[in-house]
C-alpha cells in the first residue's frame, strides 16, 4: 500500500522502543502468538485460553486510541 512507503530498515525493537503508537498488521498468525513472541521470544510460551492474559499485559489491556478502515480508500484513520 502507499501508506507503507519505504520498508523500515531497522530492528523491530527500534520501532517499539520509542513510545509511539505502532500499527502491526498480522497475517496468518494469532495476536496472542505475536505478543508471546515479543514478551518471551517464543510464540507458544503462554496458552492464553488456559492461563489468561500474561501478567505484563494485564494492567493495560486496551489502547487509548483506535483506528477505523476507510473502505473506499483502504486507509486507516485514527479515532480518538
Amino acid at each position: 500500500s502507499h501508506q507503507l512507503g519505504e520498508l523500515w530498515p531497522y530492528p523491530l525493537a527500534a520501532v517499539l522502543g520509542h513510545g509511539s503508537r505502532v500499527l502491526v498488521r498480522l497475517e496468518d498468525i494469532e495476536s496472542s502468538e505475536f505478543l508471546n513472541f515479543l514478551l518471551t521470544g517464543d510464540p507458544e510460551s503462554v496458552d492464553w485460553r488456559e492461563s489468561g492474559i500474561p501478567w505484563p499485559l494485564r494492567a493495560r489491556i486496551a489502547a487509548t486510541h483506535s483506528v477505523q478502515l476507510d473502505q473506499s480508500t483502504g486507509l486507516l484513520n485514527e479515532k480518538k
Side-chain angles (χ1 to χ4, degrees):
S1 126
H2 66 278
Q3 277 186 296
L4 292 177
E6 297 292 320
L7 292 178
W8 188 257
Y10 307 104
L12 183 59
V15 176
L16 299 175
H18 283 277
S20 298
R21 282 175 255 135
V22 176
L23 177 65
V24 177
R25 178 179 169 177
L26 301 176
E27 295 183 8
D28 300 323
I29 185 172
E30 294 292 324
S31 58
S32 59
E33 292 175 354
F34 179 67
L35 289 169
N36 281 342
F37 175 74
L38 293 177
L39 292 169
T40 69
D42 178 4
E44 304 296 327
S45 62
V46 178
D47 182 343
W48 289 42
R49 288 182 182 95
E50 183 179 305
S51 304
I53 297 170
W55 180 82
L57 301 177
R58 288 183 188 170
R60 183 174 180 186
I61 59 172
T64 56
H65 294 76
S66 66
V67 294
Q68 181 175 12
L69 178 65
D70 183 331
Q71 295 290 340
S72 63
T73 64
L75 298 176
L76 290 172
N77 299 309
E78 183 177 12
K79 297 171 62 178
K80 294 186 179 199

